[in-house]
Amino acid sequence: MSETPRGWGVFPSTGIPTVAFGNQKGGTGKTTATINSAAALAARGHDVLAIDLDPQADLTKGLGLGPGDENDASNPKNELPNTLTTDDGNLLDVLVDNPRTHDTALSEIVVDADEYDHLNFDIVPSHKDMGLARDWMDDASARLSLKVALDELVEEGYTYDYILIDCPPDLSVLTDAAFIAAQNVFLAAQTQATSRDALDDLWDQLESIEDNQQVEIAIVGLLANMYRDDGQSQKFLKAFDESFASMAPIFELPMRVAIQRAWDNGCDIFEWEDSNDQQVERDVFLEIAGTMKRAFDKAEVEA
Ligand SMILES: Nc1ncnc2c1ncn2[C@@H]1O[C@H](COP(=O)(O)OP(=O)(O)O)[C@@H](O)[C@H]1O
Ligand SMILES: [Mg+2]
């Protein structure tokens, strides 16, 4: 990895701070971190776009724009459209140049937060067709497709303060496309034994992208997620600390049932209210948002 100073961001060609939330392991908290960091940045007054690059579409579903909940008639998701099955242009059409798909610009599929009470930031939803992305994005230009789409979005006049990208749980071409477009990576890992190896593999992937694509990539943070107050979590936090603390800030998010409940109800943790206090979760993400802002402010001053 290149020597980006600790906690500094890199500006991609759009000039907009862009962060990809990655880890090829599933269930580590990538989607949770993307949704709630976006919400925290929005709560701090920033204009944010969140992109759901995962064919599993958990970000889209977690913000209510997937299928409703047939087991719960009162679930607010039931009232919202299912963007995953729309016949209009979708994210695969944006990323892939294929005769079956028509030309679609990213701007055509942005869901405007102003149209929905529960949304605090714009989103680019995933789609059922995204399952074909890995087969269709098989040439080198596909790795650049998201970067090109974001450049075009900005040329069209879209302005955001931050763009956050939720990656699929793999090291596929989609994840490469996210890392190349963003140039800043935020890692979400669980405080458990298998995390270390996954992060080593991810590291190799980032190095190979830097070498092959001649781009600089910065690590802007690590979420040590589902942290429990036990020996196992402590041990892995120490290991994370030894490997990453010199490179990027580490944030701890404990196991909190409200995180899951907010997702189930199609909203972020700043929208979600139950009888418990959600301040612990909100504070972690506000801290991430503040640190992210400083990472790019520093880089801007230096530029
Ligand atoms: N800190 C947490 N406390 C409780 N549940 C969590 C926490 N972080 C994530 N989850 C839940 O764990 C599951 C996996 O998280 P998710 O963000 O979807 O992971 P990934 O995107 O890496 O696959 C989701 O159901 C999510 O709601
Ligand atoms: Mg996910």
Side-chain angles (χ1 to χ4, degrees):
M1 292 288 294
S2 63
E3 284 302 302
T4 312
R6 179 183 186 277
W8 284 39
V10 174
F11 282 90
S13 49
T14 55
I16 299 175
T18 304
V19 179
F21 289 73
N23 189 337
Q24 69 279 19
K25 264 172 72 74
T28 62
K30 290 176 288 298
T31 303
T32 300
T34 313
I35 291 177
N36 294 304
S37 302
L41 286 163
R44 292 176 57 115
H46 300 297
D47 257 338
V48 184
L49 173 67
I51 300 176
D52 187 356
L53 210 59
D54 185 357
Q56 288 174 38
D58 288 338
L59 181 138
T60 308
K61 294 175 192 165
L63 292 167
L65 298 175
D69 183 349
E70 57 194 29
N71 299 319
D72 174 9
S74 66
N75 192 307
K77 287 183 180 184
N78 298 340
E79 306 291 315
L80 298 167
N82 180 356
T83 56
L84 300 181
T85 54
T86 171
D87 290 334
D88 298 338
N90 65 61
L91 186 52
L92 186 70
D93 302 328
V94 174
L95 298 176
V96 170
D97 189 17
N98 189 294
R100 212 195 91 180
T101 61
H102 42 93
D103 269 343
T104 302
L106 200 54
S107 57
E108 293 173 58
I109 61 167
V110 171
V111 174
D112 188 346
D114 291 342
E115 289 175 24
Y116 297 96
D117 285 347
H118 76 293
L119 280 188
N120 295 312
F121 46 90
D122 289 0
I123 75 168
V124 168
S126 188
H127 189 272
K128 63 175 172 37
D129 287 356
M130 283 291 282
L132 302 168
R134 293 182 195 101
D135 297 333
W136 286 8
M137 292 172 70
D138 56 2
D139 60 6
S141 66
R143 291 192 156 66
L144 296 175
S145 57
L146 184 61
K147 176 186 165 60
V148 170
L150 287 173
D151 283 340
E152 284 170 3
L153 187 74
V154 170
E155 274 162 32
E156 278 183 57
Y158 278 71
T159 55
Y160 288 104
D161 298 323
Y162 296 89
I163 298 174
L164 308 188
I165 306 169
D166 187 17
C167 294
D170 57 34
L171 293 175
S172 68
V173 59
L174 277 174
T175 300
D176 280 359
F179 290 166
I180 291 166
Q183 292 186 242
N184 299 280
V185 177
F186 189 101
L187 307 169
Q190 268 180 272
T191 47
Q192 45 167 246
T194 48
S195 296
R196 193 52 258 188
D197 292 345
L199 290 179
D200 284 344
D201 291 347
L202 184 61
W203 215 251
D204 291 345
Q205 180 89 347
L206 291 172
E207 273 180 341
S208 110
I209 294 174
E210 283 198 319
D211 289 346
N212 296 332
Q213 307 285 336
Q214 302 290 308
V215 290
E216 185 186 8
I217 296 179
I219 307 288
V220 293
L222 172 97
L223 181 69
N225 192 19
M226 300 186 217
Y227 176 79
R228 289 168 197 268
D229 211 1
D230 60 15
Q232 158 112 333
S233 278
Q234 290 285 355
K235 190 167 144 222
F236 286 96
L237 206 57
K238 194 160 167 277
F240 285 151
D241 222 48
E242 279 160 11
S243 338
F244 286 99
S246 62
M247 227 170 297
I250 299 175
F251 306 90
E252 291 163 34
L253 180 66
M255 195 78 181
R256 301 280 288 189
V257 72
I259 294 280
Q260 182 68 51
R261 289 209 184 115
W263 190 94
D264 288 341
N265 283 277
C267 64
D268 64 58
I269 197 69
F270 291 80
E271 281 292 310
W272 175 249
E273 299 278 352
D274 64 25
S275 54
N276 300 311
D277 185 7
Q278 276 81 55
Q279 205 53 45
V280 170
E281 298 87 324
R282 289 176 188 166
D283 283 347
V284 173
F285 289 105
L286 286 170
E287 196 193 338
I288 290 173
T291 306
M292 226 176 244
K293 180 173 186 308
R294 280 194 297 281
F296 289 101
D297 285 352
K298 274 195 278 187
E300 196 162 32
V301 168
E302 194 64 14

